[in-house]
Amino acid sequence: MLEALHQGLQLMATTTNILALFAGMLGGVIVGALPGLTGAMAVTLALPFTFYMSPITSLMLLLGIYKGSMYGGSISAILIRTPGTAAAACTALDGYPMAMRGEGGKALHMALYASCFADMVSNLALIFCTGLIASFALRFGPAEFFSLICFSLTIVAGLSGDSLLKGFISACFGLLLASVGMDLVFGTSRMTFNDINLMAGISFIPLLIGLFAVPEIIKAAAGQKQVTQYAGVKSGGVTWADFRRCFPSICRGSLIGVVMGAVPGIGGAPAAYLSYSEARRYSKRGANFGKGELEGIAAAEAGNNGVCGATLIPLLSLGVPGDIVTAVMLGAFMMHNITPGPLLFQDNLPLVYALYLGIMLSSLFLLIAGVLCLRGASAIIKAPKAVLFPAVCVICLFGAFSINNNAFDILILIGMGLVGCYMGRNRIAEAPFLVAFILGPLFEDNLRRSLLISHGNLSILWSTPICWFFIALTVFSLYITLRKEFFQRKKSMCDHAPSTLDSFNKKA
Amino acid sequence: MQNARNDLILGCVLSLVFTLVCFVLIPIGIDVPKSHDPGQLSPAAYPSWIAFAGLGASLLLAASAALRCIKLNALTPRANSTVKCTARLAGMGPGAAGFALLLAFYLSLDYVGMTLGCFLLYAAFATLCGERNWLRLVIVDCILSTALYFFFVRIASVPVPQGILESFL
């Protein structure tokens, strides 16, 4: 084993590998920060270039891009409310209000530290708990998945803002929109009205950009946007006290990210929202979430980046890619005649160790690349709004088009922009809509697959201990949230009633 | 009072939308097979559940807002809503212009092309946002359009429609 470790160190410790990792990380942060450009797209674009590289160099480059893009999404989410990635949409909930208050620098730094810490936890989980987590992830069938998604959907209650009812309606709208496209069981079309553009469903990235970025751009055009005084990125650092306060949420988020990342097919966005929701539930400042709370940013980013290392667990141990990026990375392995899975640990142990060393180094490089990019970000926030928002609009349009190379996605972006404006005007939270849209297909697919397996017998949904565990968590989570909501409403009614009566008496 | 009234209107609008989905869009837009295994849920089942849940929640929102309106009507005198409404409509003008610009960009995409379209859209949006430094506008516009063209078309090989510039680019 020590010999293999030594060989792995020799394999990894070359200038080319370290440069590839750092370049990938820097490129990933920049790509992640650009609206519409996803980590998956960047990794796919880089794949042909890796053909001429050694296996470890190519994997370092792809890994750097993947991790960098995961973090990069938070920069544009915080500064201009334009999430570069789906997972970063959760960061925008608290990041943007902080930037509006002039604490953009603090928000960006907290996002970076939380991301680096969660990434490190995720890497350690990958190195030390691969076997354990992989065997747990293997026990997930459709029924277990369904119960996990049910639990994840309870996030909606915590993200509803002022009104639980409006949050529920927003989620219903998201679930409904996610059901557009082809039916997976029968292969028939659903609400596509024979339009070929809708056959594959509604694209997520144009929807995300439309919902978050377009209303901000329109506000800027309408002159409703206040000229905000952003603090300099360098000056607005995070204090030790801030970090210590957010530390429990970061740890919780990292663990949520690790567990959700290890289960194939979940991805970073649900992990970020679940981490955010749990942080809100346990935080003393839960009422400030959504209004610019540093802990909210820390939780969202920890959940999001905690997924990175963990998605490699099923890939390395079982040969099963957890998401699109790891699927592309599987392609990179195959290109170099390496087959991930249990045999990888027998046949290519030095390569595995080299990969582990590179992965550990990536957390440090993420910190360096993040700090370098934050210096560049200060230029963005100093730009006049008449220059910045039209530029964001144009980048968003290019980004939306490039997702599927389809102009229809631009129409979706505009349509969702209208919906976003309407939701903002009527104080309907966008987050439940987004969570439901992400989880909707998983929810429906796993429900229908479970029912197919059991020939319509509903008892399959509570047939295993994992199902019971998540059902119990769902019930508990709903009970706690509804109870909190009930008491808050009661308290606000008690506070408002005397003032209303007073004003009435004065007028009388 | 205004909030309650807005919620009432919102509840009614959403109820209407979900009713439309339940009784028009789902029956017309989803092909349901004539017979299937009991384990196979009909393709229309899941969207119908969601739409009915949404409809129920919207009706509840409208009803609770109506109740609040009735209660508050009894307590507070009626405010002059016409002035507020006019001011609100006046504020919507530039926003509507922004959406009109985006729609015009989409409709003219095939003819004008993405690069030139974005160049024109940037100029129009910047003017709408209050940019009056024309030199800066032109410089930023040129740099941005060129950078986007090189990144998406040359590096990422995205088949962006070039419209009338097809033969030049």
Side-chain angles (χ1 to χ4, degrees):
Chain A
M1 185 187 159
L2 278 175
E3 196 185 334
L5 188 66
H6 180 69
Q7 283 177 350
L9 189 66
Q10 276 184 331
L11 204 60
M12 174 61 209
T14 63
T15 320
T16 324
N17 289 345
I18 290 169
L19 273 177
L21 182 63
F22 188 71
M25 196 69 78
L26 205 62
V29 176
I30 294 166
V31 165
L34 290 172
L37 295 185
T38 58
M41 191 191 282
V43 168
T44 314
L45 280 174
L47 190 65
F49 297 104
T50 64
F51 191 69
Y52 304 101
M53 297 175 183
S54 71
I56 192 72
T57 313
S58 65
L59 288 173
M60 285 301 113
L61 181 74
L62 298 180
L63 195 76
I65 294 173
Y66 175 39
K67 292 196 170 193
S69 65
M70 269 293 204
Y71 161 69
S74 68
I75 297 177
S76 49
I78 290 170
L79 296 180
I80 44 177
R81 204 175 180 247
T82 308
T85 56
C90 189
T91 312
L93 297 179
D94 280 288
Y96 189 64
M98 276 190 79
M100 294 286 283
R101 275 205 316 255
E103 294 176 325
K106 202 174 191 175
L108 284 168
H109 276 97
M110 179 47 89
L112 178 62
Y113 300 148
S115 297
C116 291
F117 183 85
D119 186 51
M120 201 178 66
V121 171
S122 187
N123 293 341
L124 289 173
L126 167 68
I127 294 168
F128 296 110
C129 312
T130 300
L132 188 78
I133 297 175
S135 65
F136 173 70
L138 266 183
R139 288 186 197 167
F140 270 71
E144 287 80 6
F145 250 117
F146 176 75
S147 55
L148 172 64
I149 303 298
C150 276
F151 170 57
S152 302
L153 275 173
T154 60
I155 305 165
V156 165
L159 298 171
S160 296
D162 300 338
S163 165
L164 205 60
L165 206 54
K166 284 184 186 176
F168 182 74
I169 293 169
S170 178
C172 284
F173 194 47
L175 288 172
L176 207 57
L177 220 55
S179 70
V180 173
M182 295 294 279
D183 182 74
L184 284 177
V185 175
F186 290 96
T188 54
S189 62
R190 288 203 305 197
M191 290 187 274
T192 60
F193 302 100
N194 295 328
D195 188 337
I196 201 157
N197 294 304
L198 287 171
M199 291 288 180
I202 293 171
S203 296
F204 179 65
I205 296 291
L207 180 137
L208 178 76
I209 297 172
L211 205 60
F212 280 91
V214 172
E216 292 304 313
I217 295 163
I218 294 296
K219 268 186 210 167
Q224 291 170 13
K225 185 140 221 74
Q226 295 164 354
V227 181
T228 51
Q229 291 294 315
Y230 290 108
V233 168
K234 275 185 275 182
S235 63
V238 176
T239 62
W240 175 242
D242 287 332
F243 188 77
R244 209 170 44 191
R245 179 166 62 80
C246 300
F247 191 65
S249 294
I250 295 175
C251 290
R252 199 183 304 113
S254 306
L255 291 178
I256 289 172
V258 167
V259 173
M260 292 193 84
V263 180
I266 298 274
Y273 277 107
L274 189 59
S275 166
Y276 181 84
S277 167
E278 290 305 302
R280 185 175 182 262
R281 202 194 317 269
Y282 291 107
S283 173
K284 285 175 188 167
R285 301 184 180 206
N288 293 342
F289 275 55
K291 296 169 191 163
E293 173 57 46
L294 199 61
E295 209 174 331
I297 297 170
E301 278 301 301
N304 170 12
N305 281 68
V307 164
C308 286
T311 46
L312 296 174
I313 294 174
L315 177 71
L316 291 181
S317 59
L318 309 166
V320 178
D323 57 9
I324 304 165
V325 182
T326 43
V328 179
M329 284 172 84
L330 179 67
F333 272 105
M334 300 289 199
M335 247 166 47
H336 293 97
N337 286 327
I338 302 163
T339 313
L343 284 177
L344 180 72
F345 291 80
Q346 276 179 21
D347 301 340
N348 274 309
L349 198 57
L351 182 90
V352 174
Y353 282 133
L355 201 59
Y356 282 172
L357 288 168
I359 282 169
M360 283 311 292
L361 201 62
S362 67
S363 298
L364 178 70
F365 280 5
L366 179 61
L367 187 69
I368 298 168
V371 169
L372 285 176
C373 286
L374 288 193
R375 284 167 192 264
S378 63
I380 298 174
I381 58 181
K382 281 176 191 160
K385 69 160 191 170
V387 173
L388 182 66
F389 283 97
V392 171
C393 174
V394 169
I395 295 170
C396 287
L397 291 171
F398 257 99
F401 180 87
S402 65
I403 296 292
N404 297 314
N405 301 333
N406 189 353
F408 186 73
D409 285 341
I410 293 176
L411 193 63
I412 288 181
L413 183 143
I414 299 169
M416 286 319 297
L418 270 171
V419 172
C421 285
Y422 186 74
M423 287 169 93
R425 197 170 268 266
N426 289 291
R427 291 173 290 112
I428 303 173
E430 301 101 336
F433 174 88
L434 210 60
V435 172
F437 189 83
I438 296 166
L439 295 176
L442 288 172
F443 181 79
E444 190 196 355
D445 289 353
N446 287 295
L447 173 68
R448 294 180 73 179
R449 278 165 60 196
S450 305
L451 292 177
L452 266 178
I453 291 167
S454 67
H455 295 285
N457 187 355
L458 279 169
S459 67
I460 192 174
L461 300 176
W462 51 88
S463 57
T464 64
I466 295 178
C467 294
W468 301 343
F469 173 72
F470 283 116
I471 289 168
L473 271 182
T474 309
V475 173
F476 178 71
S477 167
L478 277 178
Y479 170 72
I480 295 282
T481 313
L482 291 176
R483 189 168 165 262
K484 206 172 172 180
E485 177 83 10
F486 175 74
F487 280 115
Q488 267 177 1
R489 183 159 289 199
K490 207 173 172 184
K491 197 183 163 195
S492 70
M493 274 174 82
C494 290
D495 290 345
H496 281 287
S499 62
T500 316
L501 278 175
D502 284 348
S503 62
F504 176 69
N505 287 338
K506 273 179 196 170
K507 274 171 191 162
Chain B
M1 183 66 191
Q2 190 63 38
N3 281 347
R5 202 171 296 156
N6 284 347
D7 281 356
L8 180 62
I9 295 167
L10 177 72
C12 294
V13 169
L14 288 173
S15 304
L16 203 70
V17 169
F18 279 114
T19 309
L20 196 75
V21 173
C22 287
F23 300 108
V24 181
L25 290 185
I26 291 177
I28 293 174
I30 300 180
D31 304 327
V32 182
K34 282 174 187 164
S35 64
H36 52 81
D37 188 83
Q40 292 174 315
L41 276 182
S42 153
Y46 173 77
S48 301
W49 298 343
I50 305 296
F52 275 108
L55 178 60
S58 307
L59 288 173
L60 207 62
L61 179 72
S64 70
L67 272 177
R68 262 190 298 152
C69 268
I70 293 165
K71 272 186 191 171
L72 289 169
N73 249 339
L75 277 175
T76 50
R78 198 179 171 81
N80 189 3
S81 60
T82 323
V83 180
K84 275 184 186 173
C85 200
T86 317
R88 213 172 153 182
L89 280 174
M92 279 168 71
F99 273 114
L101 279 176
L102 286 172
L103 207 61
F105 169 79
Y106 170 72
L107 293 173
S108 61
L109 194 61
D110 285 335
Y111 179 70
V112 179
M114 193 94 175
T115 312
L116 184 62
C118 280
F119 180 86
L120 296 174
L121 185 72
Y122 178 89
F125 242 110
T127 312
L128 197 65
C129 286
E131 174 69 303
R132 295 293 175 266
N133 185 342
W134 304 112
L135 184 67
R136 185 172 69 181
L137 188 151
V138 172
I139 291 170
V140 173
D141 202 356
C142 288
I143 293 172
L144 187 71
S145 303
T146 315
L148 287 172
Y149 169 76
F150 270 98
F151 182 79
F152 283 96
V153 181
R154 297 286 169 187
I155 299 171
S157 305
V158 176
V160 164
Q162 294 299 354
I164 48 174
L165 296 180
E166 190 80 66
S167 51
F168 300 104
L169 297 171

